[in-house]
């Protein structure tokens, strides 16, 4: 789910969806400062209803800067580099019990509007490697990705 911060007290739409009996997880996306700030509320609600919380997609375009924030107004309230935003997502989620993370997206594209993470975006790549599984024993190593 995305845009969860747009709920109203009289319409707690994401809580209603998470509470559905055949919905086994509380999955959400993180693409803005508002999304990042809502993670504690989401995980708290997920615990309350006995379901795991999963940040099933997060990312920010390359234009914001890999290791250093490019300045300006930022994007959707984010005024940090991509690497720092990714670190913030992992840290915020881990601190409140998010049980899984899926970043968007792995690939070799280098463009300002691309969300792809790869060895050519080294600061963000390093954060993903730090928080992800050890891929050194697979054929999807850094050298074979791009």
């Amino acid at each position: 789910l995305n845009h969860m911060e747009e709920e109203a007290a009289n319409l707690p739409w994401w809580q209603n969806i998470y509470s559905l009996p055949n919905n086994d997880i509380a999955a959400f996306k993180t693409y803005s400062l508002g999304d990042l700030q809502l993670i504690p509320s989401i995980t708290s609600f997920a615990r309350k209803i006995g379901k795991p919380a999963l940040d099933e997609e997060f990312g920010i375009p390359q234009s914001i800067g890999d290791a250093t924030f490019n300045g300006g107004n930022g994007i959707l309230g984010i005024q940090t580099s991509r690497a720092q935003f990714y670190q913030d997502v992992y840290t915020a989620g881990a601190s409140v019990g998010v049980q899984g993370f899926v970043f968007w997206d792995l690939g070799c594209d280098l463009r300002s509007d691309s969300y792809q993470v790869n060895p050519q975006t080294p600061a963000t790549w390093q954060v993903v490697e730090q928080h992800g599984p050890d891929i050194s024993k697979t054929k999807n190593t850094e050298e074979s990705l791009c």
Side-chain angles (χ1 to χ4, degrees), residues 4-138:
M4 294 167 65
E5 73 280 359
E6 296 173 4
E7 73 169 339
N10 64 338
L11 182 62
W13 64 271
W14 58 266
Q15 292 96 331
N16 292 340
I17 292 171
Y18 287 162
S19 297
L20 292 170
N22 292 325
N23 184 9
D24 296 329
I25 62 172
F28 58 95
K29 297 180 181 185
T30 307
Y31 282 96
S32 70
L33 182 60
D35 294 341
L36 189 61
Q37 293 169 336
L38 196 57
I39 291 173
S41 297
I42 295 167
T43 55
S44 175
F45 185 77
R47 271 191 307 278
K48 180 179 166 186
I49 62 172
K51 296 180 181 180
L54 174 69
D55 195 338
E56 62 97 7
E57 186 179 305
F58 67 92
I60 199 119
Q62 292 173 8
S63 62
I64 202 163
D66 184 44
T68 304
F69 176 55
N70 283 339
N73 294 327
I75 297 172
L76 301 171
I78 303 298
Q79 295 188 323
T80 64
S81 67
R82 285 179 83 209
Q84 186 60 57
F85 174 71
Y86 276 58
Q87 183 63 53
D88 291 347
V89 169
Y90 286 119
T91 301
S95 73
V96 294
V98 170
Q99 294 171 318
F101 299 90
V102 181
F103 70 88
W104 182 257
D105 85 73
L106 179 65
C108 298
D109 202 10
L110 289 176
R111 293 187 337 260
S112 63
D113 62 341
S114 175
Y115 284 70
Q116 293 193 347
V117 177
N118 60 65
Q120 295 173 6
T121 60
T124 306
W125 180 256
Q126 181 180 14
V127 173
V128 168
E129 281 191 315
Q130 175 187 354
H131 293 279
D134 181 5
I135 63 168
S136 65
K137 296 180 176 97
T138 70

